[in-house]
Amino acid sequence: MANKNKKEKFGFWLSIITILLLLIHPTILVLGGIFILIDLLSFTGYNDLITYQIFTSIISFILGAFSFIVGLNLWKRNKKAPELAKIYLIINFILSIIFYIIDNYFLSMYKGLEEYGYGWGGMGPIFGSLIWLWYFNVSKKVKKIYGHSKLGN
């Protein structure tokens, strides 16, 4: 059975999400976390904002590592990889909504935060997560390569 799975080609969309999770998301999240920490050097007097920034950086590093692990599991054709990808996408979806709301709260509280990137890009990860979740649920290619495995089995 494993031999049969190895012969099945990934296909375009599965290759795209694997590259996104293995390389692009981790890079963006880790660099984003680093840039957030660098931005902290210019913040003075915003204790709640500084705490939020440190928390956001930590979450970015953790999510970047998790994304890499999920992408690597997809690449290695681990039977549990689609379920791990769904977990990652659900977490990304929830965190994107939370951070979008909090970013816009800080935008309303402190003027001039737009220059630090507050309030931008929140909807992209939200909709992207939903689209990729849909893909993992309906894709015949995913079922051919990974089977119908669930995490608990």
Side-chain angles (χ1 to χ4, degrees), residues 3-10 77 141 144-145:
N3 225 0
K4 180 182 176 190
N5 288 346
K6 296 256 186 232
K7 291 180 183 177
E8 184 71 39
K9 290 187 179 186
F10 254 50
R77 298 172 183 244
K141 182 64 79 173
K144 273 186 187 177
I145 291 176

Side-chain angles (χ1 to χ4, degrees), residues 60-104:
S60 290
F61 294 137
I62 293 168
L63 205 56
F66 186 37
S67 177
F68 178 81
I69 290 166
V70 171
L72 191 59
N73 276 282
L74 284 169
W75 184 261
K76 290 183 172 185
R77 298 172 183 244
N78 181 328
K79 288 181 74 168
K80 310 276 189 222
E83 296 304 315
L84 287 173
K86 290 177 191 178
I87 291 169
Y88 169 81
L89 292 165
I90 290 168
I91 291 170
N92 190 48
F93 174 78
I94 292 168
L95 287 175
S96 295
I97 290 172
I98 291 169
F99 289 150
Y100 182 77
I101 291 167
I102 294 172
D103 281 0
N104 283 297

